[in-house]
Amino acid sequence: MAAAGASGPSVGTEEDGGGGGPRMVYLFDRREKESELGERALQVAEHTDYAAFRASVCQTLGISPEEKFVITTTSRKEITCDNFDETVKDGVTLYLLQSVNQLLLTATKERIDFLPHYDTLVKSGMYEYYASEGQNPLPFALAELIDNSLSATSRNVGIRRIQIKLLFDETQGKPAVAVIDNGRGMTSKQLNNWAVYRLSKFTRQGDFESDHSGYVRPVPVPRSLNSDISYFGVGGKQAVFFVGQSARMISKPAESQDVHELVLSKEDFEKKEKNKEAIYSGYIRNRKVKTIKTLPLFYGSIVRFFLYGDHDGEVYATGGEVQIAMEPQALYDEVKTVPIAKLDRTVAEKTVRKYVEDEMARLPDRLSVTWPEGDELLPNEIRPAGTPIGALRIEILNKKGEAMQKLPGTSHGGSKKLLVELKVILHSSSGNKEIISHISQHGGKWPYWFKKMENIQKLGNYTLKLQVVLNESNADTYAGRPLPSKAIKFSVKEGKPEKFSFGLLDPPFRVGVPFNIPLEFQDEFGHTSQLITDIQPVLEASGLSLHYEEITKGPNCIIRGVTVKGPVNSCQGKNFNLKVILPGLKEDSQILKIRLLPGPPRHLKVKPDSEILVIENGTAFPFQVEVLDESDNITAQPKLIVHCKFSGAPNLPVYTVDCSSSGTSILTGSTIHVQNIKKDQTLKARIEIPSCKDVSPVEKTIKLLPSSHVARLQIFSVEGQKAIQIKHQDEVNWIAGDVMRNLIFQMYDEGEREINITSALAEKIKVNWTPEINKEHLLQGLLPDVQVPTSVKDMRYCQVSFQDDHVSLESAFTVRPLPDEAKHLKCELKGGKTVQMGQELQGEVVLIVTDQYGNQIPAFSPGCLSALSIAGVGLDNSNLKTTLQENTQSISVRGIKFIPGPPGNKDLCFTWREFSDFIRVQLISGPPAKLLLIDWPELKEPIPVINGRELQNPLTVQLCDQWDNPAPVPHVKINLIKANNLKLMPSNQQHKTDEKGRANLGVFIVVAPRGEHIMQVKAVYNKSTIEGPIIKLMILPDPEKPIRLNVKYDKDACFLAGGVFTDFMVSVISEDDSIIKNINPARISMKMWKLVSSMNRPPANAETFSCNKIKDNDKEDGCFYFRDKVIPNKVGTYCIQFGFMMDKTNVLSSEQVCLLSLYILINFTFFSYLVLAENSPGRDSTEYFIVFEPRLPSLSRTLEPYILPFMFYNDVKKQQQMAALTKEKDQLSKSIVMYRSLFDASKQLLDEIKCQVEEAKLKEAQLRNELKAHNIDIPVTQQIPHIEALLKRKMSEQEELKKKPRRSCTLPNYTKGSGDVLGKIAHLAQIEDDRAAMVISWHLASDMDCVVTLTTDAARRIYDETQGRQQVLPLDSIYKKTLPDWKRPLPHFRNGKLYFKPIGDPVFARDLLTFPDNIEHCETVFGMLLGDTIILDNLDAANHYRKEVYVLFLFKSVAPILTCF
């Protein structure tokens, strides 16, 4: 049988660090190779100190006590008096060495113990079952326990019974899982074997399974157990310690009367470890079998009885049950039912009342709080931040003073556990905030316990509250009574200073110039603190001497008057780590990175160091000057000009050099030249800095010697035995294309002595007419040959130069080419190369005679014109004129003309004596004189054209000259002249000729009356008309074009209402008056409507009729018949109209036929209007009547006449009145039109004004929004005065800002000698914000003085000029793939979304820069220098951002650099 139970909280232990008991140590003597190889064991007695131990070592190994050696551990930690007890433990191995760092001359060995920790057993199940491949691990653990029972019951003869019980009744103990079986049980030895970890079933001593010679593992059966799980002896322990933290094994062997009990628990292991006892040891309890069973007592009030059978009234009975309400009911709200026989009738009421009182006294009443480990929290105590609150031991006491952990309940039933809740509440202006909350339960063997709290760091007022709550509901009341609680109020203030940081410093820092270091103190949690105690700072910096005056205390702590002295190597300064140590602080040191610049100038250093300097006359002496500070550092400052004045001779130069940027330079100038020097002469040089009066001048003595260097250079031309001197700037005439040979040179010194040409001198001689010089010839005094130009216009400038370190000489001459013998005749056409047919060439042909290189030769004379001949195909020689131009020695030919013929290129041959030459001109057609039709038939007969049809060919005309050659003249206007009755489609438009002189008028559709018509094409050129041919057209009628409808009917017929119309015969007539046949009858229709005086067109409701089918006796072809059409019943006048549907939109209609539906003669008289005759008798303004009487003989009855009344007016008077009224009407109409136009203009103007008002309102809204964005509010009333006042105020602010001093860079910029130099880094960018400028300048430090160039060559040139003192950065050497992306977002943005909310306002440092010019190059420079550096507001914001970014960049190699203001 096996069982597993839960456990309480664990208690941590610490090993005892003492070494007071007897110890055994092992010694290896490795001082020398001859030392003893083996180990020596040494027993160290109790309470032995280091001196006695050393003496024992010397005695054991036979070493003299005076001999020097050290005793170390195997990790080379030296044993001393201070660490002897804590280092020398039992079983430790020690070395004897000459020194701690001595090499081991021979190998050693060291004893170790590796007994596994008890977690190997306790936590093995956790590791095993949590790795169950995602399945529920509990069934696997229970399977191990069931497998043990299967093995124990495998030999049962009867029933195999295995029970699993889950026990949760805490009155009977802790919750547990019990596995009970009826197997054969285990002996104490077998129980001991079960407890051994990793002891398999085949190696257990005394076990019945120890023999495995014939063992075969059972075949696995799915979803079943086979008692073979614990094959390796680990499953049972893993299972019980996975389910709980203690195991109790109770077993009784079948053949024994004893019960064996074994308990393994984590609590016992921890207790043994704490007490230094053997962990893997214990006891098996052997006892007899016993059975104990008790029944609890109940106290309560009887509610009702339940008797067996039927009973009336009060009956005494012993059989049945009784229902009891447990007392006190405030604690036990429970009703139980028990047999009546169990009632105790002898109990007294006093006993029950005392029991109830005792039970009520068991309720929790108060809390007892103690501080076993110290650090007690007192009420209203003010504690520094981080001060720990000691561990709390809490007991819940009832009124009896008894400690309790549960609410009181019945002895046999469960009761509610009590928990203690601890809360620490921070009181702030924004409300109360709960920062700590813990709940402790009673451990059974220990009271309520809260560990030490060390994380209360924020400043403010706090309350520590202890509250008793119920286990499951966390309720703080029970039975209507509040459970005990306790509150302790306290405050947290800042702690003492534990660390510090630097405030805002005021750079630059210079050697010997005092500056201040502000300090900011914080306690260990970063709260601002103050220095209140005296402290002596220690300032350290490698290679520097530092001093300070004092340190102030209080809120503003400053180290005043810090003075630094020491070497800084260059005038640009040097970066130093200034370590500030404040003794007594926990973090007592901080590193301040400063850029230390040299101090103010103190003295000059001039090289060479000797007092007397020797130079030759005509040379400049260079002085190496260095401006030094008090620590002999090269220093620089603005206006640091060094002067050198020479004395001892007239007209001596003054040397000046600007050392403002580098502090050192070469002081030199023009050469020192004294006229007519014959011997050595002494001069004085005084070197000083005029702007620095406290810097002493330096004087040097100069000894001037006559010069022995080259002073004069001469060139000679050798002709035969004679050498002719060519003086400087002489002009030499030579044949063009020839070579000047035999040129020599000579050089002389200052004393007019000829100087022998050596190889060194020859290398310094240069000529400008050839890149290659034969040095052997130069050694002999020979110059290279000069190639004379082939053109007399090209003169060659020849220069021989000599340049060394002392002098620069040159001698030059000019070679003027002369023409050679006559070789060619050259013709040149001046003017246009084209000539119009019939016209002379506009320009002239100029003839000259040249040599072989084209140089003109004066070969013509007045009598040479007869030898000139001109020939060409089609050339007209009648107007040729030849003229000799004596001033230019050329012949001019004019009057070139060609006989009319085909245009094209014409070649002309000019011959003079034995020389000839050709020119080519282009003969083009003459001016336009004709217009010809292209691809058009002959115009002898008229061209027949059907009316409304197209012409057969497009009308295309060509401009031609008088010889019918096409004249390619563009943009000549072409007009088509015709009669008005001749219509052309498209309409006649004006055309222009193209580049070939053609104009395509297109294909016309002709519409005109029948007959002959003419049209003519004309052109206008140079304001004159060119008439073209006359085109005659014969217009023929179109036999297929319908023009009218012919309607035939019996006009004498009478039409009676309701009768039938006579037959109508309709035909379609074409233009040639013929009937069009083959027309679809559906296209012919008839419409009839009642006549209305105001309607001339058929109404929409007109009745429509279709034509009838053609009968056999209808002889006329192409006619359509409308027969038997019914006359309307209503009497009146009707209109009939026939229509022919020409297409979908056009209808050809006939004339309207008006018929009277009554009894009408077809030949009736229709009065369109009636007019009274002049001078008719009548009375003015009198009404008269016209009587119409129809005379119808065929009608049997008489019809009533029609009477038409009318008014008679005198015509003359009425006409005058009508004329006056008409005139007045016209004037009124004009006024109406004028006013309507005025109203329309006013309306348009009003609409435009409304649009402008809307636009103004929109603009006003935009401006208001923009002003609101700048926190500027404009009132609703009195806007203009407010805006004027605001503008005035802003203008004054602008003027004040302009007057304020601005930041300026103190580093002088480098002079840009070429376009490849951008300048120093400090001058490439600008920053608006002062604080950002200071931070970025500090970050860049020494890089600010670096000069940026585009190329490496420019950088090398600057480096050489400054002798390596100037930093340079060539852009072509930067590896641009590693440069940052300027568009990259900040790290707290990922995929366009905010990843976390930073504190402050982070920004990339590079985004604060603005570049005046060279933006692309500047982005490359500062991208390399700044990278992804981020600037934040303060240190807290930077630390917060760094933590968040570190998480963000957890698997990245590089995180951004953070810098705070």
Side-chain angles (χ1 to χ4, degrees), residues 514-795:
F515 62 92
N516 298 331
I517 302 178
L519 302 178
E520 297 176 355
F521 290 91
Q522 301 91 26
D523 60 10
E524 61 177 326
F525 305 106
H527 303 133
T528 302
S529 184
Q530 297 183 14
L531 181 64
I532 57 176
T533 59
D534 293 334
I535 194 169
Q536 298 297 327
V538 179
L539 306 181
E540 298 177 356
S542 177
L544 297 179
S545 173
L546 297 102
H547 304 280
Y548 68 93
E549 296 177 359
E550 62 173 351
I551 179 172
T552 62
K553 294 185 294 185
N556 297 322
C557 183
I558 300 174
I559 303 177
R560 297 186 181 276
V562 179
T563 305
V564 183
K565 296 181 181 180
V568 295
N569 298 337
S570 70
C571 65
Q572 285 80 23
K574 182 179 179 181
N575 292 331
F576 287 93
N577 291 332
L578 175 58
K579 185 176 183 181
V580 180
I581 303 174
L582 301 180
L585 300 186
K586 185 176 182 180
E587 298 181 12
D588 60 350
S589 64
Q590 289 287 345
I591 301 297
L592 175 62
K593 292 185 177 182
I594 64 171
R595 181 74 173 178
L596 185 61
L597 301 176
R602 287 290 180 267
H603 57 275
L604 270 174
K605 183 177 181 181
V606 181
K607 296 181 181 179
D609 298 329
S610 59
E611 293 297 328
I612 300 177
L613 308 176
V614 180
I615 62 171
E616 288 187 0
N617 189 27
T619 60
F621 193 86
F623 297 98
Q624 174 70 41
V625 294
E626 294 179 354
V627 183
L628 306 179
D629 63 2
E630 60 181 295
S631 297
D632 292 338
N633 298 307
I634 297 176
T635 184
Q637 68 180 26
K639 298 181 180 180
L640 196 62
I641 311 298
V642 181
H643 289 244
C644 176
K645 296 181 180 180
F646 296 96
S647 60
N651 300 323
L652 293 178
V654 176
Y655 292 173
T656 60
V657 67
D658 189 357
C659 298
S660 301
S661 60
S662 60
T664 179
S665 185
I666 302 298
L667 178 61
T668 186
S670 57
T671 58
I672 300 174
H673 186 74
V674 179
Q675 298 291 337
N676 302 322
I677 184 172
K678 302 298 182 181
K679 60 180 181 178
D680 299 349
Q681 188 171 346
T682 301
L683 303 177
K684 292 290 185 179
R686 179 183 175 88
I687 305 171
E688 61 183 353
I689 306 176
S691 62
C692 299
K693 301 300 182 181
D694 53 347
V695 177
S696 302
V698 177
E699 292 189 355
K700 297 286 184 179
T701 301
I702 298 177
K703 186 177 182 181
L704 190 65
L705 303 178
S707 175
S708 61
H709 299 290
V710 177
R712 189 163 56 89
L713 175 66
Q714 287 187 352
I715 302 174
F716 298 90
S717 175
V718 179
E719 296 181 1
Q721 299 297 324
K722 184 179 180 182
I724 302 174
Q725 180 182 358
I726 301 176
K727 296 181 179 180
H728 184 55
Q729 302 298 341
D730 274 0
E731 188 174 289
V732 179
N733 296 326
W734 209 271
I735 300 299
D738 199 0
V739 179
M740 290 183 65
R741 306 180 188 276
N742 301 325
L743 293 176
I744 64 174
F745 70 97
Q746 291 179 352
M747 293 187 296
Y748 303 90
D749 63 5
E750 201 172 41
E752 294 298 328
R753 298 180 296 271
E754 185 177 354
I755 298 175
N756 293 328
I757 302 172
T758 62
S759 297
L761 293 176
E763 290 185 356
K764 299 176 182 179
I765 297 174
K766 306 293 181 183
V767 298
N768 69 337
W769 62 81
T770 178
E772 297 180 359
I773 305 177
N774 191 327
K775 293 184 180 180
E776 297 295 332
H777 290 174
L778 289 178
L779 292 175
Q780 299 173 12
L782 299 177
L783 291 174
D785 298 338
V786 177
Q787 178 68 46
V788 182
T790 57
S791 175
V792 296
K793 297 180 180 179
D794 299 333
M795 292 192 300

Side-chain angles (χ1 to χ4, degrees), residues 225-238:
L225 298 174
N226 54 18
S227 77
D228 202 53
I229 297 180
S230 299
Y231 187 84
F232 298 104
V234 298
K237 275 76 71 178
Q238 290 179 348

Side-chain angles (χ1 to χ4, degrees), residues 828 830 843-848 860 865 868 870 880-886 888-896 910:
E828 182 180 0
K830 293 185 177 181
E844 64 177 348
V845 179
V846 179
L847 284 68
I848 60 174
F860 294 130
L865 295 179
L868 178 63
I870 304 173
L880 285 178
K881 296 178 183 179
T882 57
T883 306
L884 174 63
Q885 305 290 338
E886 294 183 0
T888 60
Q889 275 296 306
S890 61
I891 297 176
S892 173
V893 180
R894 293 180 177 273
I896 297 175
F910 296 83

